[in-house]
Amino acid sequence: PARADRVPEGRRAPRVVLQHGFRENSNNWRIVLLSYMLRQCGIDVLANNFRDHCYSDRSSAHMYEWGNAYPYDLLGAWDFARSDPRGEMGGPV
């Protein structure tokens, strides 16, 4: 959850999903820096990897999807961040 001193009393922190660029992953310095800056502002952040990138599971195609499946990866990440099934972001939105 976001720092208590950045979120008004009785309100939940805003939540965003960050997605890396082509030939990158969620460990890229740009994503890490932006995640850090957003967290300092009290915003919950989920940095996602596209399928077949970095720590993500391998797809059945075992190759980059060239954008065909990536919107679904981003929507899946948003659904995960919104529902927060593990309770790591302060509960569901």
Side-chain angles (χ1 to χ4, degrees):
R3 291 177 34 188
D5 62 334
R6 304 280 185 181
V7 180
E9 182 75 28
R11 302 216 35 203
R12 286 186 179 235
R15 196 170 291 176
V16 298
V17 174
L18 296 181
Q19 195 65 67
H20 61 78
F22 182 66
R23 297 182 53 107
E24 294 179 348
N25 60 56
S26 63
N27 289 332
N28 179 276
W29 70 270
R30 292 175 191 92
I31 297 294
V32 172
L33 178 62
L34 184 54
S35 296
Y36 175 80
M37 292 168 61
L38 289 169
R39 291 293 298 136
Q40 291 301 306
C41 294
I43 298 172
D44 287 333
V45 177
L46 174 64
N48 184 49
N49 279 313
F50 286 130
R51 64 188 71 195
D52 294 322
H53 287 75
C54 198
Y55 302 120
S56 68
D57 291 335
R58 298 292 176 228
S59 69
S60 59
H62 300 291
M63 61 180 228
Y64 295 127
E65 298 282 339
W66 296 105
N68 295 325
Y70 296 158
Y72 299 111
D73 295 344
L74 182 57
L75 289 172
W78 173 246
D79 287 342
F80 183 88
R82 193 174 54 117
S83 65
D84 190 20
R86 298 180 186 161
E88 296 172 351
M89 300 179 89
V93 175

